[in-house]
């Protein structure tokens, strides 16, 4: 984690140097804070520094919300912001040495977004208004002394060395990074002018201390020098550190090993495997035998966790994996020494400049800032409606870290807000009745070779709006009920369906007409009779049913269905003769089957219930017959002399059945008396 933090810092610094108002870059705000302060120390106020409240109404100002964007950026853990006021505070004790080592500048970058809270729906952040890159400079306190890696070092100068000959050793380290609190000067404590000190600064910022010969040496005069180097930082008061230097004067007759190149430069990709050889250094010694047997090692200042050197072959190999993105350093200068096997031994130094370069080994990280409470989008939201923010982050550099995103769902669009921030907006309106949920996939790719792609998705729940009518299963209903019904008998059930959800889709029924005759259950749509119907009085009833949903009062939808209730017939009417009695006068001696009279009847029922037949009283069927039309005929020639008068009954019987009686036995029958005078 620590290395990761450090790596990110470097990156922040790089972003800083790139910054300008060039399109896509975030507006920058700069604050500064002294290191080692207790948590919740005031850092700055984003609202004030950005002047975001200017030209806004009190209402709008009250709805501004400040958030630190939780990207992979580890600096986000170092600060807290008050979401209402924009006041930025430290979250922890910030130790500059821990966060920035001894870099001259310690800038902690975080991104802060400002949202406008929705007036209607306070749990929902509406729109991202602006995002800032906030750079917090962590100022140093001079709380560290310069220290040398070793307490004593031994170096050798050949007796024959010319003035200006130098031997490299390591500088002191001061964990304070600020310009003034870092090491400013080196000096000999007890100099006799034989040696001078010089600081060599490499392109990567690393430094070496060179002990430079200022006077010719004479081994016979003085074989060794015991000196002390003091390093002093620029603090007030300044702090110091020292190292004892044992300088040996070598024998002039030996030859020193000579490196084939000086310096060595090597570059290699960050994904170089551990153990692989990145460079082979080589020195030659013009001596013979043991004196020319060369061994290689790192100079005292260059003992490294990162590299290994093969003492016989001079091969420098990778000791631990290097990651361009998280390593603090991308350039290294190391000192390699070659020693011969002589006694006293002779050594040479060479500088090896190592440079790490980026490969596209990181996929973009996608961070979607979902409003608290989930992503509910109303189906009546207009196109362009703001849904969420997408923050992308690719730690690689250059085109390897340049990211473009798209959204895989034609209902949504991704609108670029700044270099690494997109807004997801609604492209076309949603229909909950078509899809209740949408899976929105965001795909981001960098422009490196090979291209690295990452994707993430989230779900949008479509909130219902009352936009559907109840629809009846039929627009017209023909239903029936038998007459002589009971009150409360079910006539029919009608139903309507509303595609909306919840109350917007719950249907309630009521009758528009004929509430005297019928009732309807508001929930079930069951129609029942309020009265006992008599088909002979009413044959059908027309009524209208209204189905209404239960959406908000102001926006309910209704539909109407026409219902015709037919009263169906029951055999409840007895056939009736038109006359109580009939008298026929007929002449005697008429031919057989002469119609001698007719009767007529009616039945108010319909169909079989209203259709009827006639019959003649038992005992008279010998004399008379009657057909279905009521025509009465004599079956024999009547003779007035033998009988003057026949008096008998004719029955009329309908063809229906009576529900209340045994249908096989009792059709509805009426009798009439017919008197006949031949
Ligand atoms: C506020 O509005 C005035 C006049 O419209 C404009 O000149 C000024 O730049 C605005 N200030 C900000 C901070 O937007
Ligand atoms: C180097 O030697 C010269 C005289 O040769 C002397 O003036 C000078 O001070 C010396 N420098 C140091 C740093 O000792
Ligand atoms: C080696 O690198 C150094 C600095 O990194 C540079 O000054 C020098 O010119 C380079 N030499 C060669 C031969 O590339
Ligand atoms: C160093 O290099 C020599 C010669 O290439 C080889 O024989 C030896 O095994 C190497 N040593 C190590 C520790 O790799
Ligand atoms: C991007 O990565 C490729 C290898 O994947 C590398 O060759 C290239 O130099 C990198 N580009 C940058 C700008 O670092
Ligand atoms: C992106 O890819 C990395 C691995 O390359 C993975 O750790 C991460 O979870 C992926 N997803 C997002 C949304 O960043
Ligand atoms: C959403 O889409 C992603 C890939 O595009 C898929 O992995 C995931 O299962 C989907 N989720 C749902 C709920 O459909
Ligand atoms: C309902 O009855 C009316 C009148 O008898 C008739 O015209 C219509 O076709 C019937 N409709 C249906 C759907 O049965
Ligand atoms: C016949 O129906 C009418 C209404 O249509 C009603 O007023 C009347 O009382 C009914 N008559 C009988 C005998 O039921
Ligand atoms: C329902 O009845 C009304 C008259 O009461 C009529 O105007 C309308 O057209 C009818 N609707 C249908 C679908 O038959
Ligand atoms: C009418 O219904 C009642 C009770 O259901 C029954 O007693 C009566 O006989 C019925 N009348 C006819 C004509 O069906
Ligand atoms: C049936 O009788 C009526 C009088 O009751 C008479 O007017 C009519 O003509 C008769 N019809 C036939 C076909 O005899």
């Amino acid at each position: 984690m620590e290395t990761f933090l450090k790596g990110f810092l470097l990156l922040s610094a790089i972003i800083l140097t790139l910054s300008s108002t060039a399109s896509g870059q975030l507006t920058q705000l700069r604050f500064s804070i002294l290191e080692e302060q207790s948590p919740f120390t005031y850092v700055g106020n984003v609202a004030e520094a950005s002047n975001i409240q200017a030209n806004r109404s009190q209402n709008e100002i009250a709805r501004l919300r400040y958030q630190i964007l939780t990207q992979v950026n580890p600096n986000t853990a170092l600060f807290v912001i008050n979401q209402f006021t924009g006041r930025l505070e430290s979250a922890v004790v910030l130790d500059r040495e821990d966060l920035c080592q001894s870099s001259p500048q310690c800038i902690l970058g975080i991104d802060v977004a400002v949202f406008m809270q929705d007036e209607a729906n306070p749990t929902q952040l509406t729109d991202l208004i602006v995002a800032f890159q906030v750079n917090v400079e962590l100022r140093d306190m001079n709380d560290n002394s310069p220290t040398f890696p070793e307490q004593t070092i031994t170096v050798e100068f050949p007796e024959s060395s010319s003035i200006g000959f130098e031997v490299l050793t390591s500088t002191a380290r001061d964990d304070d990074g600020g310009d003034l609190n870092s090491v400013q000067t080196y000096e000999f404590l007890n100099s006799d002018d034989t040696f001078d000190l010089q600081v060599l600064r490499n392109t990567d910022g690393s430094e070496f201390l060179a002990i430079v010969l200022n006077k010719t040496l004479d081994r016979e005069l003085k074989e060794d020098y015991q000196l002390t180097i003091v390093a002093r930082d620029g603090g007030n008061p300044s702090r110091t550190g020292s190292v004892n230097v044992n300088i040996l004067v070598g024998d002039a007759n030996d030859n020193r090993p000579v490196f084939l190149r000086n310096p060595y430069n090597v570059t290699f990709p960050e994904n170089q495997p551990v153990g692989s050889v990145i460079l082979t250094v080589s020195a030659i010694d013009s001596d013979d035998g043991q004196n020319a047997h060369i061994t290689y090692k790192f100079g005292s200042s260059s003992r490294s966790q990162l590299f290994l050197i093969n003492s016989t072959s001079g091969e420098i190999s990778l000791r631990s994996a290097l990651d361009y993105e998280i390593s603090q350093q991308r350039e290294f200068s190391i000192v390699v020494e070659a020693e011969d096997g002589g006694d006293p031994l002779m050594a040479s130094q060479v500088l090896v400049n190592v440079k790490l370069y980026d490969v596209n080994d990181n996929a973009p990280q996608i961070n979607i800032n979902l409003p608290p409470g989930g992503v509910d989008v109303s189906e009546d939201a207009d196109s362009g409606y703001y849904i969420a923010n997408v923050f992308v982050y690719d730690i690689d550099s250059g085109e390897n870290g340049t990211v473009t995103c798209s959204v895989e769902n034609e209902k949504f669009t991704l609108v670029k807000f700044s270099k690494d921030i997109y807004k997801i907006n609604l492209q076309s309106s949603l229909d909950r009745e078509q899809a209740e949920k949408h899976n929105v996939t965001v795909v981001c790719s960098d422009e490196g070779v090979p291209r690295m792609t990452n994707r993430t998705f989230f779900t949008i729940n479509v909130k219902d709006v009352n936009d559907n009518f109840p629809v009846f299963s039929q627009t017209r209903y023909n239903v029936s009920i038998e007459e002589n019904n009971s009150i409360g008998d079910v006539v029919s059930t009608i139903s309507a369906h509303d595609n909306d959800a919840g109350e917007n889709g719950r249907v309630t029924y009521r009758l528009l007409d004929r509430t005297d005759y019928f009732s309807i259950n508001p929930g079930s749509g069951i129609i029942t009779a309020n009265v006992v119907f008599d088909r002979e009085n009413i044959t059908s009833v027309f009524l209208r049913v209204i189905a209404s949903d239960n959406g908000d009062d102001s926006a309910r939808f209704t539909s109407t269905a026409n219902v015709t209730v037919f009263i169906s017939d029951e055999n409840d009417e007895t056939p009736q003769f038109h006359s109580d009695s009939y008298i026929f006068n007929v002449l005697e001696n008429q031919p057989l089957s002469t119609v001698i009279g007719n009767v007529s009847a009616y039945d108010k029922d319909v169909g079989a219930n209203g259709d009827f037949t006639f019959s003649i009283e038992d005992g008279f069927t010998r004399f008379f017959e009657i057909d279905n039309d009521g025509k009465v005929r004599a079956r024999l020639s009547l003779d007035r002399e033998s009988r003057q008068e026949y008096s008998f009954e004719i029955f009329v019987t309908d063809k229906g059945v009576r529900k209340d009686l045994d249908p096989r036995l009792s059709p509805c029958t009426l009798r009439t008396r017919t008197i006949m005078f031949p």
Side-chain angles (χ1 to χ4, degrees):
M1 183 56 193
E2 200 193 345
T3 25
F4 190 64
L5 269 176
K6 289 167 186 166
F8 191 85
L9 284 168
L10 198 67
L11 202 78
S12 309
I14 289 169
I15 290 171
L16 239 187
T17 56
L18 287 175
S19 76
S20 67
T21 48
S23 70
Q25 294 295 340
L26 296 181
T27 309
Q28 300 199 3
L29 303 176
R30 194 171 181 123
F31 299 125
S32 122
I33 177 178
L34 199 61
E35 65 165 337
E36 306 291 354
Q37 305 298 303
S38 56
F40 307 114
T41 298
Y42 176 78
V43 175
N45 187 301
V46 171
E48 286 165 12
S50 63
N51 206 19
I52 191 160
Q53 298 183 344
N55 292 355
R56 286 186 198 277
S57 70
Q58 281 305 318
N59 172 296
E60 281 184 320
I61 290 171
R63 288 191 288 125
L64 292 174
R65 295 291 178 270
Y66 304 84
Q67 269 187 10
I68 294 176
L69 294 181
T70 49
Q71 302 184 40
V72 281
N73 182 347
N75 292 341
T76 55
L78 305 178
F79 300 98
V80 288
I81 196 164
N82 181 308
Q83 64 159 322
F84 301 106
T85 62
R87 179 189 161 99
L88 188 68
E89 294 174 357
S90 61
V92 293
V93 174
L94 300 174
D95 178 13
R96 189 186 194 284
E97 286 68 49
D98 184 31
L99 292 165
C100 296
Q101 292 77 50
S102 50
S103 315
Q105 263 206 327
C106 185
I107 305 288
L108 306 172
I110 53 170
D111 288 349
V112 172
V114 186
F115 296 89
M116 180 71 80
Q117 186 163 63
D118 194 337
E119 208 161 5
N121 183 2
T123 59
Q124 182 118 358
L125 291 177
T126 312
D127 210 348
L128 173 66
I129 297 176
V130 67
F132 299 108
Q133 191 190 341
V134 176
N135 293 315
V136 180
E137 184 192 2
L138 193 54
R139 294 196 316 274
D140 187 49
M141 291 202 306
N142 193 16
D143 48 1
N144 289 283
S145 295
T147 46
F148 286 93
E150 279 147 312
Q151 287 189 327
T152 304
I153 53 172
T154 301
V155 298
E156 191 188 272
F157 279 74
E159 185 180 12
S160 59
S161 301
S162 49
I163 289 173
F165 183 87
E166 57 189 30
V167 172
L168 301 182
T169 184
S170 43
T171 52
R173 173 187 163 91
D174 189 323
D175 284 336
D176 292 321
D179 282 341
L180 288 176
N181 296 336
S182 59
V183 177
Q184 300 295 304
T185 60
Y186 292 91
E187 63 196 6
F188 284 116
L189 198 57
N190 42 0
S191 167
D192 68 349
D193 293 358
T194 316
F195 299 99
D196 193 5
L197 285 172
Q198 228 177 315
V199 176
L200 303 181
R201 185 168 276 122
N202 295 302
T203 46
D204 67 346
S206 63
E207 289 178 343
F208 290 103
L209 192 57
I211 301 171
V212 188
L213 191 62
N214 193 34
K215 280 185 181 156
T216 50
L217 297 169
D218 186 344
R219 198 163 187 268
E220 278 65 47
L221 233 58
K222 195 167 164 70
E223 271 194 339
D224 63 292
Y225 295 78
Q226 310 295 330
L227 303 174
T228 302
I229 300 175
V230 175
R232 189 181 299 280
D233 70 22
N236 184 18
S238 69
R239 290 167 173 257
T240 59
S242 64
V243 60
N244 297 321
V245 194
N246 187 15
I247 300 175
L248 306 176
V249 181
D251 191 341
N253 297 327
D254 280 348
N255 285 303
R256 305 165 65 81
V258 177
F259 281 97
L260 299 183
R261 302 180 71 168
N262 188 0
Y264 284 93
N265 287 353
V266 61
T267 62
F268 65 94
E270 56 171 331
N271 57 357
Q272 186 90 7
V274 171
S276 62
V277 174
I278 57 165
L279 174 73
T280 303
V281 295
S282 181
I284 50 169
D285 192 306
S286 22
D287 292 327
D288 292 331
Q290 192 61 26
N291 285 0
H293 180 80
I294 294 173
T295 56
Y296 302 93
K297 63 174 186 180
F298 289 127
S300 62
S301 60
S302 303
R303 282 182 205 124
S304 168
Q305 300 296 314
L306 300 177
F307 304 104
L308 279 176
I309 190 161
N310 181 320
S311 60
T312 50
S313 66
E315 289 169 342
I316 298 174
S317 57
L318 210 53
R319 182 174 193 168
S320 58
L322 288 173
D323 187 329
Y324 185 87
E325 285 72 40
I326 64 171
S327 71
Q328 176 196 356
Q329 266 187 304
R330 288 146 188 202
E331 289 180 29
F332 308 86
S333 289
I334 47 184
V335 174
V336 174
E337 283 181 6
E339 289 177 352
D340 63 21
D343 183 20
L345 57 80
M346 301 289 287
S348 292
Q349 290 181 321
V350 73
L351 206 56
V352 177
N353 297 313
V354 177
K355 210 165 166 180
L356 195 60
Y357 63 85
D358 184 37
V359 295
N360 193 22
D361 57 353
N362 289 282
Q365 304 261 355
I366 309 170
N367 222 293
I368 299 192
N369 179 281
L370 297 178
V375 214
D376 288 347
V377 178
S378 166
E379 59 177 327
D380 68 352
D382 294 329
S383 106
Y385 178 81
Y386 160 81
I387 292 168
N389 296 313
V390 179
F391 302 98
V392 286
Y393 185 70
D394 191 322
I395 204 165
D396 287 319
S397 53
E399 74 270 12
N400 295 337
T402 305
V403 180
T404 27
C405 295
S406 62
V407 64
E408 283 181 350
N409 188 326
E410 69 284 356
K411 293 250 175 224
F412 305 92
T413 52
L414 216 52
V415 180
K416 197 164 184 151
F417 182 77
S418 70
K419 185 171 162 287
D420 295 323
I421 302 179
Y422 295 83
K423 289 183 182 190
I424 300 177
N425 288 346
L426 200 58
Q427 167 91 319
S428 57
S429 54
L430 304 174
D431 184 357
R432 194 204 59 85
E433 286 71 43
Q434 225 167 51
E436 277 189 355
K437 287 179 188 296
H438 289 273
N439 193 358
V440 185
T441 303
V442 176
V443 182
C444 297
S445 304
D446 61 32
E447 289 169 16
V449 182
R451 193 177 284 273
M452 300 281 278
T453 299
N454 216 340
R455 53 177 62 229
T456 188
F457 71 92
F458 63 95
T459 306
I460 284 184
N461 304 310
V462 184
K463 276 198 305 193
D464 188 47
V465 164
N466 195 10
D467 56 359
N468 282 278
F469 288 89
V471 177
F472 281 101
S473 56
Q474 295 164 237
T475 50
R476 304 186 51 177
Y477 292 86
N478 284 352
V479 299
S480 65
I481 182 170
E482 279 206 338
E483 60 175 328
N484 195 35
N485 57 292
S486 304
I487 288 174
D489 276 358
V490 172
V491 178
S492 182
T493 302
I494 65 171
S495 73
H497 179 73
D498 188 317
N499 279 330
D500 287 321
E503 286 296 287
N504 292 340
R506 188 169 67 83
V507 177
T508 301
Y509 305 91
R510 71 190 158 87
L511 291 180
L512 191 59
D513 321 285
R514 309 279 26 176
T515 50
D516 48 348
Y517 284 173
F518 298 103
S519 299
I520 191 163
N521 180 304
S524 64
I526 295 173
I527 299 175
T528 50
N530 288 349
V531 295
V532 177
F533 286 101
D534 179 7
R535 194 207 61 82
E536 285 69 42
N537 191 16
I538 305 162
T539 57
S540 69
V541 182
F542 175 79
L543 54 118
R544 284 169 295 173
V545 178
I546 293 187
S548 161
D549 63 34
N550 286 272
D552 282 347
D553 283 348
S554 55
R556 284 194 179 157
F557 286 103
T558 61
S559 297
T560 307
N562 292 348
V563 179
T564 307
V565 182
F566 293 95
I567 316 298
S568 58
D569 190 47
E570 197 174 67
N571 195 14
D572 59 350
E573 292 287 332
T574 311
Q576 301 287 337
F577 286 99
H578 282 109
S579 177
D580 283 348
S581 64
Y582 293 86
I583 297 171
F584 304 140
N585 290 305
V586 67
L587 291 174
E588 61 178 340
N589 294 326
Q590 292 296 305
L592 293 184
S593 290
T594 300
V595 174
I596 56 176
N598 66 42
V599 297
S600 66
Y602 62 91
D603 188 321
K604 288 189 198 159
D605 288 322
V606 292
N609 294 340
D611 200 3
F612 45 79
T613 55
F614 297 101
S615 57
I616 289 189
E617 184 184 347
D618 285 352
F620 290 87
T621 52
R622 260 187 321 125
F623 309 111
F624 305 103
E625 60 187 8
I626 186 163
D627 66 16
N628 284 344
D629 296 331
K631 293 193 181 82
V632 180
R633 290 183 170 85
R635 300 191 69 184
L636 29 94
S637 186
L638 299 175
D639 178 3
R640 187 182 188 279
E641 284 68 33
S642 59
R643 189 163 174 177
Q644 283 191 11
E645 184 188 296
Y646 296 86
S647 178
F648 57 91
E649 285 179 328
I650 294 176
F651 305 106
V652 59
T653 305
D654 67 31
K655 295 179 177 170
V657 291
R658 289 199 54 171
K659 259 169 79 179
D660 53 342
L661 298 171
D662 184 340
R664 286 163 303 162
L665 300 177
S666 292
C668 203
T669 307
L670 197 72
R671 52 184 62 196
T672 190
R673 176 151 293 272
T674 300
I675 305 161
M676 217 199 63
F677 304 99

